[in-house]
Every structure is written in C-alpha cells, then in structure tokens.
Amino acid sequence: AKEGFRLLVWLDQDFDQIYSSKIPITKVADFPKARFITWFGPLEGRLLERLGTSPVPMGITEIPSSLRAGVAEAMIAPSIWVVGTQLYSTFRYVNPIRIRYVPAFCVCTNKAWDVLPQKDQKALYEGREKWARDFCVKSRVDAEKCLAAMVQYGVRPVRSTPEEVSRIREKSLPIWDELSGKLYPKELLDEIKGHLAQYRAGKRK
C-alpha cells in the first residue's frame, strides 16, 4: 500500500521440482556436477550455492534458449512452466522433491482501484477468497498432469532417499535465519515459522 499497490488475491502455484539435462540430481553430492540456472532471486541463489553449485543468474526469457544451447543443465522450476516452454524435450531427468513452494499474487495500482465503481470493488473483495481456493486446487491438478505428461514423453523421474532429503534440508534451513533482516523482517520469518509449526502439528494428529 505504501508503494501505491493493492493486493487483490493471494495465490500459489504449488511446489517446484528439480530438472536436469545432464545427470540425475538426487543427492547433495550431485549439485556441484551440474550448472544450475538461478532466476528466482537472491534466496534461490543462496540455496544453490549452499548446495555446492555456482549458479548462473538469468532472466526468465533467456532460460529456454540457454538450456538448449548448453549454457547450463539444471534448474528449479514448476512443471506447468516446463511444459509451456517445451523444455521437456531438453530435460532428461526430473526430481519431484518439494524443493520450493511458490506464492503468487494479483495486484493493481491504487490509482486503478480508485476508478472502479464501488459495486465492482465489492464484488472483487467478496469473490477473491473463492477464486483463490479454486485457483490453488486447479493449479495442483494441472501441475500433476504436466508432470505425468513429461514422464510419458520420456523425462525420467528420479527421487531422493529420505536420508538425502534430510541432508538437503539441513543445508537449506539455516538460510532462513541468515537472510532475515536482509530480504525480509525477522518478525515475519518468526510469524511464518509459528504458522508452519502449528500446521505440521495438526497434520500429525
């Protein structure tokens, strides 16, 4: 709001996977063997560095041609995007580890909001909770369909063992606290950790 924007809907596009055209990426020891693209910002870059790679920063529009040209061989991405860019013909492996949860947002400027008739503003606010639920459910369905289609095409699914998932988690989790106060307020991180702990406690019951 301070920057002149209004949040209309808070969504997500499910979890991303690890894709590779060179070798299967299932262990911490595999990450240094592939050149990863980083496109998702400094948090992703720090994660990949912590896992032993020297990530190649790149804009989203450069990625498909760069992967096809062999500038890099691996990346973290959503299955819907990989299908949409037809990179399933370049990637040979996918690790469906739930490596990154991806939020998404619909925003507009306050200036645009203020010119809307009040009845339309009211309709947007009243409808957005249902739209968010529907979007999240359907995006997960589409993500699963895209992943299954890629496997049917010939992309080979490879999986990390529970022990390797734990090793990846051990490498990753300290980044939360390292970047608090830099990329996001510590208070926000603490609040999210609290919600996460509460959610996981409920799932165990």
Side-chain angles (χ1 to χ4, degrees):
K2 291 177 183 176
E3 299 296 330
F5 293 93
R6 181 178 295 267
L7 176 63
L8 297 180
V9 188
W10 182 315
L11 310 164
D12 71 63
Q13 62 175 46
D14 202 5
F15 285 85
D16 290 353
Q17 305 83 37
I18 301 172
Y19 294 87
S20 172
S21 61
K22 182 181 178 183
I23 61 168
I25 308 290
T26 61
K27 305 186 292 292
V28 171
D30 294 331
F31 282 84
K33 300 174 186 175
R35 288 170 295 179
F36 270 78
I37 286 172
T38 179
W39 63 281
F40 207 72
L43 186 60
E44 179 188 62
R46 180 69 67 87
L47 168 66
L48 291 171
E49 289 171 357
R50 182 58 58 82
L51 291 170
T53 80
S54 297
V56 182
M58 202 170 291
I60 188 73
T61 56
E62 305 170 83
I63 294 174
S65 59
S66 297
L67 284 164
R68 292 182 181 111
V71 174
E73 304 94 16
M75 69 179 296
I76 298 169
S79 60
I80 293 173
W81 184 83
V82 175
V83 168
T85 55
Q86 299 183 2
L87 280 170
Y88 55 83
S89 62
T90 299
F91 289 127
R92 294 172 58 197
Y93 306 100
V94 56
N95 183 344
I97 184 174
R98 297 161 78 83
I99 190 74
R100 177 176 61 210
Y101 166 77
V102 183
F105 310 92
C106 290
V107 301
C108 72
T109 62
N110 285 330
K111 185 177 179 181
W113 178 261
D114 290 340
V115 300
L116 284 175
Q118 283 196 347
K119 65 180 179 61
D120 293 335
Q121 292 179 354
K122 183 172 183 288
L124 279 167
Y125 270 122
E126 288 177 349
R128 64 183 187 167
E129 200 168 316
K130 180 183 183 303
W131 300 334
R133 283 197 306 271
D134 290 348
F135 180 93
C136 290
V137 169
K138 290 176 181 178
S139 69
R140 280 159 172 72
V141 171
D142 285 346
E144 288 295 327
K145 285 181 179 178
C146 287
L147 194 55
M150 284 189 282
V151 171
Q152 187 174 11
Y153 176 83
V155 179
R156 180 181 158 200
V158 293
R159 296 184 180 275
S160 301
T161 65
E163 293 77 18
E164 283 298 331
V165 171
S166 294
R167 289 189 185 99
I168 292 170
R169 185 180 289 116
E170 286 168 10
K171 291 273 188 182
S172 306
L173 285 180
I175 299 172
W176 288 5
D177 292 305
E178 290 170 12
L179 294 180
S180 70
K182 299 171 185 174
L183 290 184
Y184 38 81
K186 184 178 184 304
E187 297 76 20
L188 178 60
L189 176 63
D190 291 341
E191 182 181 349
I192 290 173
K193 282 182 176 179
H195 290 310
L196 190 57
Q198 185 178 21
Y199 172 76
R200 286 175 173 166
K203 292 275 282 188
R204 286 193 292 268
K205 291 178 181 176

